[in-house]
Amino acid sequence: MTRLYDDPATFTEDMVAGFVAAHPDHVRQVPGGVVRSRRPRRGKVAVVTGGGSGHYPAFCGVVGPGFADGAVIGNIFTSPSAQDAYSVARAADNGAGVVFSFGNYQGDNMHFGLAVERLEREGVRAHNVVVTDDVASAPRSEASKRRGVVGDFVVFKVASAAAEEGYDFDEVVRVAEHANDRTRSLGVAFDGCTLPGQDEPLFEVPAGRMGLGLGIHGEPGVSERDLPSAAELAKILVDGVLAEAPADAGQRPRVTAILNGLGATKYEELYVVWRTASRLLAEAGVEVVAPEVGELVTSLDMAGCSLTVTWLDPELERLWQAPADSPAYRKGDVGIPVADGSEPAYEPPAPVEQEVVEAPAEGKATAALVVRALDVVAERLRDAEDELGRMDAIAGDGDHGRGMTKGSAAAAEAATEEAAQGVGPAAVLLAAGDAWASKAGGTSGALWGAALRSFGDLLPADRAVTGDDVTSGAAAALASVQRLGRAELGDKTLVDALVPFVDALREATGSGAGVARAWQRAAEVATEAAAGTAELRPRTGRARPLAERSVGTPDPGATSLAMALTWIGGVLAES
Amino acid sequence: MTRLYDDPATFTEDMVAGFVAAHPDHVRQVPGGVVRSRRPRRGKVAVVTGGGSGHYPAFCGVVGPGFADGAVIGNIFTSPSAQDAYSVARAADNGAGVVFSFGNYQGDNMHFGLAVERLEREGVRAHNVVVTDDVASAPRSEASKRRGVVGDFVVFKVASAAAEEGYDFDEVVRVAEHANDRTRSLGVAFDGCTLPGQDEPLFEVPAGRMGLGLGIHGEPGVSERDLPSAAELAKILVDGVLAEAPADAGQRPRVTAILNGLGATKYEELYVVWRTASRLLAEAGVEVVAPEVGELVTSLDMAGCSLTVTWLDPELERLWQAPADSPAYRKGDVGIPVADGSEPAYEPPAPVEQEVVEAPAEGKATAALVVRALDVVAERLRDAEDELGRMDAIAGDGDHGRGMTKGSAAAAEAATEEAAQGVGPAAVLLAAGDAWASKAGGTSGALWGAALRSFGDLLPADRAVTGDDVTSGAAAALASVQRLGRAELGDKTLVDALVPFVDALREATGSGAGVARAWQRAAEVATEAAAGTAELRPRTGRARPLAERSVGTPDPGATSLAMALTWIGGVLAES
């Protein structure tokens, strides 16, 4: 279990402070994460990794010459916010754009996705390479839905080496995606891990048993079985990974491999497994080049291990073998100068100029209404925080109330500031959405941020808002939520309240109701739908192994959305 | 716990096989351990580390250019045999001698000590640098009795870098001992670890408690207390280590530091501790250079951590910062060529020529008697194996019977072979002693090996053996056992049977008894003394935290010695 911490609430900040103190020659802290302590040459494509923390050396341990330019650092097992990703990317950018790479998880996809949108809005080229190596998490026919696990390490390394060699943006993206296409992992877990400050493990594996394909945050695996011998386990892992070989792998492929320990399965055990795994790979005609046996992607002190294989071609092999010098991973000679203080300081990125466009009176009026609505939502969510927290504790980690309160308060404050500049509703909702996503973090923060921005994009600044406007805005908000969250109706998320809301809003405005009346009617429908999520089967998701307990409890995300829509309806009726 | 293994009895061999398979560019296997895969230049002093396994990256993980020339690999938490150390040293020697360095534990001292003696007999310069950094294991006034823990890493690194720079033998020894003199560690443990194949931990720390100064194999610590916060722990460690600063440390010393995790206390937690530890060190006026935060010396998956500080001078700082390239630790550029197959193969060491000196008839007769005595001891010990094992299981790890059986059988076989060449008793007992120490391993193997060799040295080859000869031989055997084992009378070891044996033998031969009669009388005294060890307080020793259970049980080592002495008396009476 995790025993050493000061305040569990600041565990990640404290960890980063110690990490930066230990490695001043490699990294420097920036808001949201770390970048290299020395800026590389101008024009080098920046590779930025990231994700929740608790996986050291992933992700911040691989920042340095020959490896990543920066790492975005989320809380333990929690995706960083879009603001974090944006901030690290701005600091890491060398004028040639930023390639983000991270494992395929919903929250990471959302937040890095939002960061890419914002960077591109500001003229910085950006792209996400999402790693999908875990063969246990989805069938081959749905390979793009697979989780990212230790394959992250290979993809980061290859992409970073390519950028260091001078590949241009498109070529870095190409080779990173190519590395991901040729990388497969299969893992097992023997025991869970405990978050700082918690007494109970995040999930459990019965003593003497093994979860095959169990995810690194306890996501359900393929099967559970008795703990095998080291040799039997080697066979399970080698067979499982080789069965997923790329179609063009050939008869005597060259590969690299990582036998990774998750934290409490130690080097000695890994080497015992590697004894057989290396023999089995050789017997299968596979030539292993520069393998790694050790802890490269951990899950705190979780017990378990995994095998990752990347089928190489000459380009991938060269990039895998290229020198790197980072806090946790060093290879060959990268020719970095010894620190002598003569190098130029790392320049913070220039602040982006925000253009303020003053809106006509109608736009200002709508913006004021938006501010009032956000104020009411923030105030009432503060009162509802404990109730939402209790609801979330049944199905999740109990932080939904806190996240909604923090996010809505930040959104209301940002909206007030923005509106004071005389801008229209779109600008106010953009600021509010960015603030919500940044301060709330997590999945709901990203979804609310995206929803507010998309809704705002369709509100006019030069005339009064019509029923068609709010319907279109709500539909756009739903679309962005679904695009980010990849949730469908019935998945027991806020989509289950938002879809009926949009339908009812369209129907009510179409039959001639005014905006306020239509909104109120649709909010009633959303409230019913949110309550109905109690009847749905829970989604199994990241770090929610106890989700089966949530049957019979409404989804807190759908519930808080319905609450907010109702309160907004009240504001509209008063205006 | 340790979950992955095939056969617990071959865990270490299996681990080494996997380790070598993973790192062919760095290491190659030799009997007893590993050496570098590429031989360094002729004339470079060889630095060889070693000890029990279960501590990876210590010790085999640091073999490579800029670091160690070889590592001797014992079984889990068990010292390697003298034969192992000798074998690795012969393979690692580049013609300029071998500096062994290892942590201060009884078994390691013995076996490396025997290896040094043998190497020097064969003309290879050799010396042991014993690391004694653990401030909790003995007071400052007895600093040389302190255990070696993570300070090993600093001493190995500094000695290795010095040898790589071209220091001569004496200078490598000097700087290694200097590094040890300026290195202090203090550790804590939160939970034990489990050996492969065992269900119960080697020792336990109660939940929510912390053992301060607890050894890395469960040796008793200074105190037990409630688990502190990370910041409180940092203060305990920093204060504890700085209180032991060298007298000439000065006001604003430069140091290096290692915050080491023992296996299940992970990087994130260590960085949280380092946040405060680095601040406290700075506040104390200590400047930290190139610290390491991570797992450098582990104890399987034991939970705990330690702080090591080495007070630097310019020489130590340069050597600490020097480049190194080993499987588990890399720093800077060591300028090793990329493997292209054109380098010369690593040459196995030339076999040492053993000079066979044929003995006169009297010597051959004595040698034959020695062979007969060893045959009888081996045969009877085989029958007594289970009884000795049960006795040892109460106080120790239950392997005493097995070790004595293996050792005595090997000794009898080697003695037979040696005697067949027509040599005298000294040569026969030398071969028997080497075989016993090599095959039995552990403490008792080393002691028996040394005792046989020392005894044999005083037996004449050119006349019949007298009472004075056997008394002198027995006294020499006792002296070598005490020198190696550092045990005193009353420590509940075989010394408690051997001291009265030697005294009784001296008295009986002095009063005119024949050799056989005197030996039998002394064996009776030894048998009584062995039984009397049941009344003595148990020693607390390495990996024997349950030793309190042994009060009331005779020491198995004293018992088996008394048995053997009695059987030998019977052979003498028959001859």
Side-chain angles (χ1 to χ4, degrees), chain A residues 150-170:
Chain A
V150 184
D152 289 0
F153 194 88
V154 180
V155 175
F156 300 167
K157 173 72 174 68
V158 164
S160 299
E164 208 76 55
E165 274 193 11
Y167 280 40
D168 70 17
F169 189 91
D170 291 331

Side-chain angles (χ1 to χ4, degrees), chain B residues 260-419:
Chain B
N260 179 69
L262 282 174
T265 297
K266 301 310 300 180
Y267 317 101
E268 287 83 359
E269 297 175 88
L270 296 174
Y271 283 126
V272 172
V273 175
W274 184 249
R275 180 181 74 109
T276 303
S278 59
R279 182 174 57 73
L280 293 174
L281 286 164
E283 286 173 7
V286 172
E287 183 168 355
V288 181
V289 180
E292 295 285 345
V293 178
E295 298 181 347
L296 296 179
V297 179
T298 61
S299 288
L300 297 174
D301 64 333
M302 187 170 160
C305 66
S306 62
L307 178 67
T308 298
V309 169
T310 299
W311 279 262
L312 300 171
D313 55 26
E315 180 185 40
L316 291 178
E317 183 168 339
R318 185 188 74 243
L319 297 171
W320 174 249
Q321 293 270 32
D325 182 17
S326 67
Y329 188 83
R330 292 170 206 173
K331 199 170 198 168
D333 171 28
V334 295
I336 40 165
V338 174
D340 68 357
S342 66
E343 297 78 10
Y346 204 102
E347 292 294 325
V352 177
E353 290 295 322
Q354 299 281 354
E355 198 185 347
V356 177
V357 180
E358 187 158 353
E362 296 87 347
K364 288 181 185 164
T366 306
L369 188 62
V370 165
V371 170
R372 203 147 66 244
L374 287 170
D375 280 342
V376 169
V377 168
E379 186 188 325
R380 304 237 178 129
L381 275 174
R382 196 165 55 233
D383 296 338
E385 178 179 335
D386 289 351
E387 180 192 344
L388 290 169
R390 279 191 296 273
M391 191 180 285
D392 186 41
I394 294 169
D397 48 11
D399 65 356
H400 183 69
R402 187 82 202 110
M404 290 296 287
T405 302
K406 285 175 76 170
S408 60
E413 187 182 329
T416 303
E417 279 180 23
E418 194 71 14

Side-chain angles (χ1 to χ4, degrees), chain B residues 106-156:
Chain B
Q106 187 185 32
D108 297 301
N109 288 330
M110 278 185 206
H111 288 284
F112 285 100
L114 291 168
V116 164
E117 288 179 12
R118 182 165 170 197
L119 289 164
E120 299 224 308
R121 275 204 309 271
E122 296 179 4
V124 176
R125 199 145 180 220
H127 189 84
N128 287 336
V129 175
V130 183
V131 183
T132 55
D133 57 311
D134 184 358
V135 302
S137 54
R140 194 198 289 239
S141 57
E142 299 180 273
S144 69
K145 292 191 179 176
R146 286 175 170 173
R147 293 182 296 238
V149 283
V150 185
D152 289 359
F153 194 88
V154 180
V155 175
F156 300 167

Side-chain angles (χ1 to χ4, degrees), chain A residues 55 77 105 202-203 215-219 299 302 541-545:
Chain A
H55 304 297
F77 293 177
Y105 295 94
L202 192 59
F203 65 94
I216 57 175
H217 318 90
E219 302 91 336
S299 288
M302 187 169 160
R542 175 173 176 187
R544 294 179 70 172

Side-chain angles (χ1 to χ4, degrees), chain A residues 1-2 191-195 198-205 301 545-546 549:
Chain A
M1 64 183 293
T2 301
D191 205 359
C193 54
T194 311
L195 301 180
Q198 300 290 312
D199 291 327
E200 291 198 18
L202 192 59
F203 65 94
E204 286 179 318
V205 180
D301 64 334
L546 305 176
R549 288 195 294 173

Side-chain angles (χ1 to χ4, degrees), chain A residues 289-309:
Chain A
V289 180
E292 295 286 345
V293 177
E295 297 181 348
L296 296 179
V297 180
T298 62
S299 288
L300 297 174
D301 64 334
M302 187 169 160
C305 65
S306 62
L307 178 67
T308 298
V309 170

Side-chain angles (χ1 to χ4, degrees), chain A residues 3 6 231 267 269 271 295, chain B residues 3 6 23 231 267 269 295:
Chain A
R3 291 177 174 86
D6 291 318
Y267 316 102
E269 298 174 88
Y271 283 126
E295 297 181 348
Chain B
R3 291 178 174 86
D6 290 318
H23 302 289
Y267 317 101
E269 297 175 88
E295 298 181 347

